[in-house]
Amino acid sequence: MSESFLKAPASESVRLISFDEAKVVPGFIPETWILIVSGTKPCINMEVKLIPRIYVKQPEYWGIEVTGILPGGICLTATAPYSVALPLDSVLGTKGIEVIGANKKEQIAVPPSTYSPKTSETEK
């Protein structure tokens, strides 16, 4: 990663926000996965995005930040539920992902341990 990028000042219009639940579900295409994160945003007009961290080498758990962005910089102070999704096609660690919010971090194995591939008739 570029040294000048790392030395640049941090953004003040984007913040980590809290989340309540994070889960990985199968995608529509076999062996693809989608991260779904939900919680309550502190500003009704806040945009919530899942932003993967940048790595030079694939980590064990790829960090994905739960961020809140305020268009125009003004918070309309009424809470609202949110649910956002991110396909995990190009942001998987060797073991899974780590969801990073303001209130906690949660590591999730991908594929999830509850996943059981269907066996074909020839395998029985």
Side-chain angles (χ1 to χ4, degrees):
M1 189 174 322
S2 167
E3 193 171 319
S4 62
F5 176 76
L6 293 174
K7 289 182 178 181
S11 173
E12 294 190 22
S13 61
V14 177
R15 295 276 193 269
L16 289 179
I17 65 168
S18 297
F19 67 95
D20 297 326
E21 181 182 21
K23 63 183 177 180
V24 173
V25 298
F28 297 108
I29 299 170
E31 299 302 315
T32 62
W33 308 98
I34 299 170
L35 170 63
I36 300 173
V37 177
S38 59
T40 302
K41 56 186 178 178
C43 307
I44 198 163
N45 61 323
M46 180 175 277
E47 292 177 26
V48 179
K49 293 189 177 190
L50 300 174
I51 302 178
R53 288 188 169 172
I54 299 168
Y55 296 96
V56 174
K57 180 181 173 194
Q58 184 182 24
E60 286 186 348
Y61 290 90
W62 199 294
I64 299 172
E65 298 175 340
V66 183
T67 62
I69 302 164
L70 283 172
I74 298 171
C75 174
L76 300 178
T77 55
T79 62
Y82 72 84
S83 183
V84 289
L86 177 72
L88 298 176
D89 301 337
S90 61
V91 290
L92 275 177
T94 57
K95 293 184 178 180
I97 60 166
E98 180 175 42
V99 182
I100 303 161
N103 60 331
K104 62 184 173 181
K105 295 179 180 182
E106 187 175 320
Q107 291 184 341
I108 303 172
V110 179
S113 57
T114 57
Y115 175 70
S116 58
K118 295 179 182 177
T119 56
S120 68
E121 293 297 318
T122 58
E123 293 177 326
K124 291 183 180 178

